[in-house]
Amino acid sequence: MEPYRPGMSLELLKARAYAVYPRASLFNHDCLPNACHFDYPDSPGPGNTDIVVRALHDISEGREVCISYFAANWRENSCIHWL
């Protein structure tokens, strides 16, 4: 996906894409994650290819930080589909 530029066509703005984040790939999945990841491909300007990981609650020292590999707003229970 091309980063946002002023004047881009609506077709390019609707494009969905995947990205490879080498450091973020080190996070493990948990069906009950303690962190969540966000990306902002539709945001204008620099930073629209960044990924942000935020804790969902306090994480004890020494505990692994886990994310869900599925979108946080996915309506279905994604873990059930994989069992």
Side-chain angles (χ1 to χ4, degrees):
M1 178 175 175
E2 241 181 275
Y4 173 85
R5 292 186 322 275
M8 286 180 77
S9 72
L10 288 177
E11 287 305 309
L12 283 177
L13 288 175
K14 292 179 185 177
R16 299 288 20 123
Y18 296 95
V20 176
Y21 297 98
R23 290 187 181 150
S25 70
L26 298 174
F27 286 104
N28 283 321
H29 168 81
D30 195 318
C31 287
L32 298 172
N34 54 17
C36 193
H37 62 92
F38 302 90
D39 55 10
Y40 305 95
D42 297 324
S43 299
N48 62 359
T49 57
D50 292 350
I51 187 170
V52 176
V53 176
R54 295 191 173 139
L56 295 171
H57 51 77
D58 290 340
I59 302 171
S60 303
E61 184 177 343
R63 182 117 193 253
E64 181 178 19
V65 177
C66 293
I67 61 173
S68 173
Y69 290 156
F70 304 98
N73 61 352
W74 202 2
R75 292 176 183 231
E76 297 184 35
N77 184 340
S78 52
C79 290
I80 291 174
H81 294 282
W82 292 95
L83 295 177

